[in-house]
Amino acid sequence: MANIPMRVAVLGGGSFGTALASMAADNGFEVRQWMRDGALAKQINREHRNGRYLPDYAINPAVTASTDIAEVVSGAELVLVSIPSKAFRQVVRQARPFLDSGQILVSTTKGIEQDGFRLMSQVLEEETGSIRVGVLSGPNLASEVADKQLTATVIASADSLTRTRVQQALSCSYFRVYASNDRYGVELGGALKNIYAIAAGMAAALGTGENTRSMLMTRALAEMSRFAVAQGANPMTFLGLAGVGDLIVTCSSNLSRNYRVGFSLGQGKTLDEAVEALGQVAEGVNTVRLVRDKAHQDGVYMPLAEGLFQVLFGGVPAQEMARLLMQGDHSSDVEFVLSREDVLQSHRDTRGAGEDEIHGSD
């Protein structure tokens, strides 16, 4: 490693992929970036600037952009995949003939594939058969990373070499990479928080107070961890950067695309109008439907996700979100301390005892 720089490939020409490519080049690695848009690739190579997504960001001149996916991934030790979830599998399939079994494949996409409810790391496994698969996720607003604001992220993988190589490639004075072996938990945290960022944007547009926003984020964290644990994740992961950390930043910042969609909805715009005004992919819109349906299928209680689904797709006014939340069951605060079922059973027992006393007094 000291004599031969690791070669890094980045698939995707968006803001986060561009920032990661430049960071790896700053660290002395050979970096190639793939994108579909030939004009954008030429601009990056000529001007060292991504005029579409990060127009004011100076990209390290060592980054080479290309529309030739074979040229980009062949021989790379580390491949970072920064493609929106809807096109993720298609691009990985396109790259597959040029990948080898020893390459490290890392998803940076915070979304879920509709067919079969597949996480992006699962798509990587299915399409490539690789055992060196990881997920990069955390409170990482791309524009702030590009501005070199102090930022931390998580690389999650069961493979220790994957974790180490990502830390080597991306760690720098302003970007700290922590390690985890709970890939599902970290990945679900990144995908699920997008739902609640939409809700937080709506709440802000409606002028809610700090108490309400605090309640919203805290109950969102409870829903996220409840759902993720049902899918096999570790609940402790949600105390970290990929859980509460990412949730806080996306529910608090108008730099978050999902937050901005929610804010537009809270102002009375339709979903189509909100997405059109954004001009970029907001992964949370698709994730709301997928998670709500999966929660129904698996019997996971998610009142916030259900309420947001009704606002986005059921014609329910945004103002109804708070009412739907307040009408839910009075349950436990932290379910991994006191289970929701124990609280509900106590309610049933109390009602039963009250009825016995009434009947006994007749």
Side-chain angles (χ1 to χ4, degrees):
M1 286 295 297
N3 298 322
I4 305 175
M6 175 168 53
R7 184 167 162 189
V8 177
V10 177
L11 301 184
S15 53
F16 194 51
T18 297
L20 293 178
S22 190
M23 266 195 292
D26 287 345
N27 284 341
F29 299 107
E30 181 185 347
V31 182
R32 297 183 183 179
Q33 184 180 8
W34 174 87
M35 58 202 66
R36 285 195 179 93
D37 189 329
L40 186 58
K42 289 179 181 177
Q43 181 187 46
I44 289 174
N45 291 333
R46 183 178 62 250
E47 302 175 19
H48 313 301
R49 186 174 63 89
N50 185 328
R52 178 176 300 171
Y53 295 108
L54 289 174
D56 300 322
Y57 177 51
I59 300 170
N60 188 305
V63 174
T64 301
S66 174
T67 58
D68 185 341
I69 203 165
E71 177 187 352
V72 169
V73 302
S74 296
E77 184 175 353
L78 171 62
V79 180
L80 302 173
V81 189
S82 298
I83 301 291
S85 59
K86 286 187 177 180
F88 193 96
R89 186 181 292 272
Q90 175 192 348
V91 172
V92 172
R93 193 169 286 173
Q94 186 179 345
R96 183 175 56 193
F98 314 107
L99 298 171
D100 64 65
S101 59
Q103 286 173 301
I104 294 168
L105 309 176
V106 174
S107 166
T108 75
T109 300
K110 297 176 179 180
I112 299 169
E113 187 181 66
Q114 182 168 342
D115 293 339
F117 200 86
R118 312 304 287 166
L119 301 175
M120 299 301 101
S121 67
Q122 293 173 312
V123 173
L124 287 174
E125 285 179 327
E126 292 168 359
E127 291 295 329
T128 69
S130 176
I131 60 171
R132 301 199 186 283
V133 170
V135 173
L136 191 77
S137 189
N140 305 150
L141 296 172
S143 60
E144 291 195 358
V145 174
D147 286 340
K148 295 183 168 56
Q149 297 287 338
L150 300 182
T151 302
T153 194
V154 180
I155 173 61
S157 177
D159 176 55
S160 60
L161 181 64
T162 296
R163 299 192 299 264
T164 299
R165 288 291 187 257
V166 172
Q167 288 179 310
Q168 291 172 334
L170 300 178
S171 295
C172 62
S173 61
Y174 62 90
F175 195 75
R176 187 167 178 82
V177 184
Y178 291 87
S180 171
N181 60 2
D182 182 16
R183 199 181 82 199
Y184 287 169
V186 167
E187 191 163 16
L188 280 168
L192 293 171
K193 57 87 188 178
N194 287 328
I195 295 175
Y196 306 104
I198 297 175
M202 287 170 42
L206 292 169
T208 57
E210 298 299 332
N211 286 349
T212 306
R213 277 179 272 186
S214 175
M215 177 179 69
L216 176 63
M217 281 192 276
T218 309
R219 298 319 302 162
L221 186 63
E223 277 196 19
M224 288 168 59
S225 56
R226 183 188 308 135
F227 181 88
V229 167
Q231 309 305 315
N234 186 331
M236 297 301 290
T237 295
F238 289 81
L239 297 179
L241 289 162
V244 67
D246 205 0
L247 180 68
I248 288 171
V249 75
T250 51
C251 288
S252 306
S253 174
N254 60 11
L255 295 176
S256 162
R257 288 171 288 183
N258 294 286
Y259 180 96
R260 297 206 304 271
V261 167
F263 197 90
S264 293
L265 292 170
Q267 290 177 317
K269 294 180 181 177
T270 67
L271 179 58
D272 288 341
E273 289 170 341
V275 172
E276 183 180 356
L278 182 66
Q280 298 183 52
V281 175
E283 289 282 1
V285 173
N286 183 52
T287 305
V288 169
R289 188 192 298 273
L290 296 179
V291 169
R292 180 261 191 182
D293 290 348
K294 182 68 171 173
H296 276 219
Q297 176 185 324
D298 294 351
V300 181
Y301 179 62
M302 300 186 76
L304 279 173
E306 177 65 34
L308 192 56
F309 174 85
Q310 295 300 334
V311 172
L312 265 61
F313 306 110
V316 173
Q319 294 89 336
E320 292 293 292
M321 272 288 295
R323 187 183 64 81
L324 290 170
L325 175 61
M326 298 304 288
Q327 287 184 345
D329 291 329
H330 290 89
S331 188
S332 61
D333 181 21
V334 180
E335 290 182 56
F336 308 107
V337 176
L338 175 64
S339 75
R340 177 172 177 269
E341 182 52 40
D342 284 346
V343 174
L344 296 180
Q345 183 59 52
S346 176
H347 291 173
R348 290 190 289 267
D349 291 345
T350 302
R351 284 195 298 268
E355 290 171 2
D356 289 342
E357 292 172 7
I358 292 171
H359 294 314
S361 65
D362 287 345

